[in-house]
Amino acid sequence: MRKGLIFFLVVNVLIVAFLVRSVFTLLLLLVEDASDDAIHHAEIPAPNSGLIDYRPLLIPKIIHQTYINESIPEHWRVGQQSCIDLHGDYEYK
């Protein structure tokens, strides 16, 4: 009976150790402080502010169009053109 209990405990400890090792990166995210990567409220310019034009560009203004080949089907061309028209300052690829 004692051997069986020790074997059971050892197997359970091994299983728990394996599970903790498998999700260790996820467990680290629970204690990770990501405030260094955050964009703080004070860094965001107010709407209609003149500072909007001078803020750093974090995401490039590029529209990436993807499809099987170079030709876009006719029923999607209206949507494609409206995207291009609405975002005139974006680069279209």
Side-chain angles (χ1 to χ4, degrees):
M1 173 91 164
R2 203 145 184 63
K3 257 187 185 177
L5 178 64
I6 292 174
F7 179 74
F8 176 76
L9 291 175
V10 168
V11 168
N12 280 325
V13 166
L14 290 174
I15 289 172
V16 169
F18 173 75
L19 292 175
V20 168
R21 184 182 177 278
S22 297
V23 296
F24 186 72
T25 304
L26 294 174
L27 293 174
L28 285 180
L29 289 176
L30 294 174
V31 295
E32 178 72 25
D33 181 23
S35 62
D36 294 338
D37 299 328
I39 299 174
H40 299 285
H41 191 273
E43 297 176 282
I44 300 173
N48 301 323
S49 168
L51 297 174
I52 289 179
D53 297 331
Y54 302 107
R55 67 181 175 194
L57 187 61
L58 300 177
I59 300 172
K61 292 185 171 188
I62 301 173
I63 298 174
H64 291 277
Q65 176 74 50
T66 59
Y67 192 65
I68 297 171
N69 53 27
E70 294 296 319
S71 64
I72 305 290
E74 190 61 41
H75 62 276
W76 288 350
R77 293 208 183 177
V78 175
Q80 173 197 24
Q81 191 59 46
S82 69
C83 263
I84 293 171
D85 293 342
L86 286 172
H87 303 92
D89 57 336
Y90 279 55
E91 180 184 353
Y92 179 79
K93 291 185 176 186

